[in-house]
Amino acid sequence: MTCILIMGPPGSGKGTQAVAIAEHHRVPAISTGDIFRANVDAGTPLGRVAREYMEAGEYVPDSVTTAMLRERVDRPDCRQGFILDGYPRTMAQVAALDEILEETAHELRAVLALDVDRSDLVDRLVLRAATDGRTDDTEDVIRRRLELYTEETGPLLAEYDSRGVLVRLDGSGTRADVAARVADVFDARV
Ligand code: AMP
């Protein structure tokens, strides 16, 4: 069935939009960041591995992240499709996702990429730090996460563009503004 990716730098609002799209299509929104945070909170072995990387703003190793995602996608609620938020983030994860989709007979229908100015991102992340208390929303860690997104994850956009599945969207404005733009894209092509 269908898989949709939502990409964007930290603070771009991709998590919020992923949940809205998932509700609309009645499929799960899978956030690798949320799964890691739940494991950290529960003190699982996976959480103990992930924590160190997350707190430093670094990516959790591909092998760990991909094994976790594979297990999640194999669950029955993903049979009709799913939305991915925060995976893939590296070229190795792109290749791993291709394999997973082939094995589970899902088609990559669209990759939505939210574009937001860097100064807006920092403002949003600082605000989120104050309201959500995420331990990776401190200034240094925010800087590192944005840097890593540009270096490691930015090149994925060119890859998906070359496959004809990339849709870039203006991610500025309110949640409702962005949701309306996302809905237009879905009406037009998904
Ligand atoms: P997020 O909530 O998507 O911003 O993710 C929070 C943190 O979880 C990231 O800064 C990474 O440390 C880790 N993480 C989430 N998804 C991935 C991924 N696909 N690959 C590696 N690390 C990830």
Side-chain angles (χ1 to χ4, degrees):
M1 300 302 274
T2 301
C3 168
I4 293 163
L5 310 187
I6 180 140
M7 292 183 58
S12 61
K14 62 185 163 45
T16 308
Q17 299 304 327
V19 169
I21 300 166
E23 275 172 8
H24 187 253
H25 290 264
R26 295 171 198 276
V27 292
I30 301 173
S31 155
T32 42
D34 281 352
I35 303 177
F36 282 134
R37 276 185 288 279
N39 277 277
V40 169
D41 290 348
T44 66
L46 174 65
R48 283 197 287 277
V49 172
R51 180 182 199 140
E52 219 176 293
Y53 295 98
M54 293 172 81
E55 288 189 347
E58 300 294 338
Y59 287 166
V60 178
D62 289 330
S63 57
V64 175
T65 309
T66 296
M68 179 183 83
L69 182 82
R70 193 181 283 273
E71 189 274 319
R72 178 65 190 89
V73 167
D74 272 339
R75 295 200 206 152
D77 65 335
C78 289
R79 272 190 207 134
Q80 299 307 312
F82 50 91
I83 314 288
L84 286 184
D85 154 20
Y87 188 101
R89 269 169 145 113
T90 64
M91 287 306 280
Q93 292 181 14
V94 169
L97 180 63
D98 287 341
E99 264 181 34
I100 293 173
L101 294 181
E102 199 175 327
E103 283 164 21
T104 53
H106 283 99
E107 184 199 354
L108 181 57
R109 286 287 288 279
V111 178
L112 300 188
L114 297 181
D115 292 318
V116 182
D117 283 347
R118 196 187 158 100
S119 62
D120 290 347
L121 291 175
V122 175
D123 289 350
R124 287 188 194 181
L125 288 165
V126 168
L127 189 70
R128 187 168 80 185
T131 53
D132 296 4
R134 268 179 59 161
T135 50
D136 58 350
D137 276 344
T138 62
E139 208 179 313
D140 280 356
V141 177
I142 288 172
R143 200 172 306 117
R144 177 62 189 143
R145 286 164 59 214
L146 288 171
E147 207 176 79
L148 205 52
Y149 182 84
T150 307
E151 286 168 8
E152 293 266 349
T153 308
L156 274 54
L157 299 181
E159 168 62 24
Y160 286 126
D161 196 22
S162 74
R163 299 185 189 189
V165 287
L166 183 72
V167 182
R168 295 194 85 132
L169 272 183
D170 175 6
S172 64
T174 64
R175 285 174 187 198
D177 294 336
V178 183
R181 285 178 212 126
V182 171
D184 285 347
V185 168
F186 276 94
D187 290 346
R189 66 173 280 159
V190 180

